[in-house]
C-alpha cells in the first residue's frame, strides 16, 4: 500500500460534503491510503471509509436529522449531550445502520480519531484498531464542548478534537514541529478534505459562547485552547494552502467551492443533500488528479 494519508475535517452536518467526496473515492476503488484521520464528524466519516460502506454517512445524517435522539435540545436536557451519544454510537452504529466491524478490523488502513485532552488542552491522536471496542475514541472526538459530557478514555478526559487540531494534516505527514503521534512515522502525501470554503476566516464564534458559560473554568489549558482556536485554525489553513502551492506538493486539498450554509447542529434535508452533491461533483471532476496524486493503479 502506498504511504498516503486521508485527512477529514469535522463540522457536524457539514460533513455531508465529506461524505460526498469519500463516497466517490470508494466508488472508484481509491483506497490507496495507509491511514485515515478524522476529527469529530470527520472521525465518523473515517469509520465508514475504512469499513468500505458507500453512502452510510449521508444515509445516517439524512435519515436521523429530525430524530430528537440524534441531535437536539431534548437530547442535551435528558442526556447531557446535544448529539445523542448512546443513540449514535450504539443504536445507530450497531443496529439501525450497523458499521461493518469485520471489514473495518480486516482493513490494513490505520485510523486515527483526534480528540482534545481537557486537562492539558492538547490533541490526542487515538488509533482506532478494533471495533466495536474503539468506538469510544470516535465518541470522544465528536463530543462538542459546552453541549457534551466529557468522555473518559484510559483515565483521561476528552472532548471534540477540533478545539486543538482541526485539520491534522501536519501530524499525518509527520512534519517538523507537528505533534508527534506515538508509533507512527508519517505519510508521504495527504489528501485533505475541508468542510469550509477556501475564503472562510474563523472568528471566536461558538467557542465564545462556551467560554461565557464558565463550564471549563477549572481547566485553564483547555480554556486557553478554546480562546485561541480561531487564531490557530486560520493559521493552520494558511499553512495548508501555502503548502498546496509548492512544486511537487505533498498535499491535495478538496474544499467546498462556495460558502457553506449548513450549520454544525442541523439543516433541512435539501441543504444537506445539496452539500453532499457538491462533494460528489468536486471529487468526480478531480478523480483523475486524485488518482494520480496517490499513485492509484487501475
Amino acid at each position: 500500500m502506498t504511504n498516503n494519508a486521508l485527512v477529514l475535517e469535522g463540522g457536524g452536518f457539514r460533513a455531508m460534503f465529506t461524505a460526498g467526496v469519500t463516497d466517490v473515492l470508494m466508488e472508484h476503488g481509491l483506497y490507496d491510503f495507509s491511514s485515515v484521520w478524522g476529527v469529530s464528524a470527520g472521525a465518523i466519516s473515517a469509520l465508514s471509509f475504512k469499513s468500505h460502506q458507500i453512502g452510510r454517512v449521508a444515509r445516517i445524517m439524512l435519515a436521523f436529522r429530525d430524530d430528537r435522539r440524534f441531535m437536539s435540545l431534548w437530547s442535551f436536557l435528558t442526556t447531557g449531550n446535544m448529539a445523542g451519544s448512546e443513540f449514535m454510537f450504539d443504536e445507530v452504529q450497531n443496529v439501525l445502520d450497523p458499521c461493518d466491524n469485520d471489514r473495518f478490523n480486516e482493513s490494513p488502513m490505520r485510523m486515527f480519531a483526534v480528540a482534545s485532552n481537557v486537562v492539558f488542552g492538547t490533541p490526542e491522536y487515538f488509533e482506532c484498531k478494533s471495533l466495536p471496542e474503539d468506538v469510544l475514541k470516535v465518541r470522544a472526538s465528536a463530543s462538542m464542548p459546552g453541549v457534551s459530557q466529557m468522555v473518559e478514555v484510559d483515565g483521561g478526559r476528552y472532548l471534540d478534537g477540533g478545539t486543538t487540531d482541526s485539520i491534522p494534516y501536519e501530524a499525518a505527514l509527520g512534519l517538523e514541529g507537528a505533534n508527534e503521534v506515538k508509533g507512527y512515522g508519517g505519510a508521504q502525501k495527504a489528501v485533505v478534505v475541508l468542510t469550509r470554503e477556501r475564503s472562510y476566516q474563523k472568528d471566536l464564534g461558538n467557542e465564545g459562547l462556551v467560554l461565557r458559560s464558565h463550564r471549563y473554568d477549572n481547566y485553564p489549558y483547555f480554556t486557553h485552547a478554546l480562546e485561541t482556536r480561531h487564531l490557530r485554525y486560520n493559521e493552520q489553513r494558511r499553512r495548508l494552502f501555502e503548502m498546496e502551492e509548492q512544486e511537487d506538493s505533498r498535499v491535495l486539498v478538496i474544499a467546498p467551492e462556495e460558502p457553506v450554509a449548513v450549520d454544525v447542529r442541523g439543516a433541512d434535508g435539501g441543504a444537506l443533500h445539496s452539500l453532499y452533491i457538491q462533494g460528489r461533483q468536486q471529487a468526480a471532476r478531480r478523480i483523475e488528479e486524485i488518482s494520480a496524486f496517490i499513485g492509484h493503479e487501475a
Side-chain angles (χ1 to χ4, degrees), residues 24-232:
V24 170
L25 295 183
M26 288 190 281
E27 288 164 6
H28 285 81
L30 299 188
Y31 293 104
D32 307 72
F33 298 95
S34 54
S35 62
V36 58
W37 301 65
V39 181
S40 193
I44 297 172
S45 295
L47 277 183
S48 291
F49 185 79
K50 182 171 161 62
S51 62
H52 295 204
Q53 289 178 273
I54 299 170
R56 181 171 181 262
V57 173
R59 192 167 59 239
I60 289 171
M61 288 193 173
L62 287 171
F64 300 111
R65 64 184 178 84
D66 290 327
D67 192 315
R68 65 180 186 173
R69 297 170 296 173
F70 189 68
M71 187 177 292
S72 68
L73 180 60
W74 176 88
S75 177
F76 178 61
L77 294 175
T78 57
T79 70
N81 295 296
M82 181 73 76
S85 297
E86 295 301 325
F87 179 69
M88 292 171 61
F89 296 108
D90 185 4
E91 191 164 354
V92 174
Q93 176 77 5
N94 299 316
V95 180
L96 297 177
D97 201 328
C99 179
D100 189 338
N101 291 345
D102 290 339
R103 195 158 194 178
F104 181 97
N105 294 338
E106 291 167 1
S107 171
M109 185 188 306
R110 300 176 72 180
M111 178 191 158
F112 295 90
V114 185
S116 296
N117 186 308
V118 178
V119 174
F120 298 107
T122 53
E124 186 76 37
Y125 305 93
F126 286 122
E127 184 166 6
C128 300
K129 297 180 179 180
S130 177
L131 291 180
E133 299 86 355
D134 285 345
V135 76
L136 184 66
K137 298 173 180 178
V138 179
R139 178 177 169 180
S141 177
S143 294
M144 298 180 290
V147 292
S148 303
Q149 296 181 15
M150 297 180 199
V151 177
E152 290 200 11
V153 180
D154 297 332
R157 298 173 179 175
Y158 298 93
L159 285 170
D160 196 303
T163 302
T164 51
D165 193 351
S166 297
I167 315 166
Y169 65 94
E170 291 163 311
L173 290 169
L175 299 183
E176 184 177 353
N179 295 299
E180 184 178 351
V181 182
K182 187 176 180 180
Y184 176 77
Q188 284 297 113
K189 295 181 177 181
V191 174
V192 183
V193 183
L194 305 180
T195 58
R196 289 286 197 183
E197 67 278 6
R198 289 172 179 269
S199 62
Y200 177 75
Q201 286 288 302
K202 184 172 177 56
D203 56 24
L204 189 56
N206 289 334
E207 284 75 25
L209 295 175
V210 175
L211 288 165
R212 287 195 290 275
S213 75
H214 298 286
R215 185 168 181 174
Y216 304 109
D217 284 359
N218 291 332
Y219 300 93
Y221 295 119
F222 187 67
T223 296
H224 179 70
L226 288 167
E227 291 171 340
T228 58
R229 184 195 173 188
H230 64 296
L231 302 175
R232 289 179 287 105

Side-chain angles (χ1 to χ4, degrees), residues 224-262:
H224 179 70
L226 288 167
E227 291 171 340
T228 58
R229 184 195 173 188
H230 64 296
L231 302 175
R232 289 179 287 105
Y233 179 78
N234 293 335
E235 176 61 19
Q236 186 177 46
R237 281 168 49 102
R238 185 197 66 78
R239 293 194 303 270
L240 175 64
F241 296 145
E242 185 178 84
M243 188 175 182
E244 180 187 28
E245 294 301 318
Q246 295 174 359
E247 187 175 357
D248 296 324
S249 177
R250 294 176 64 189
V251 296
L252 185 152
V253 181
I254 303 173
E257 294 176 341
E258 55 189 55
V260 178
V262 171

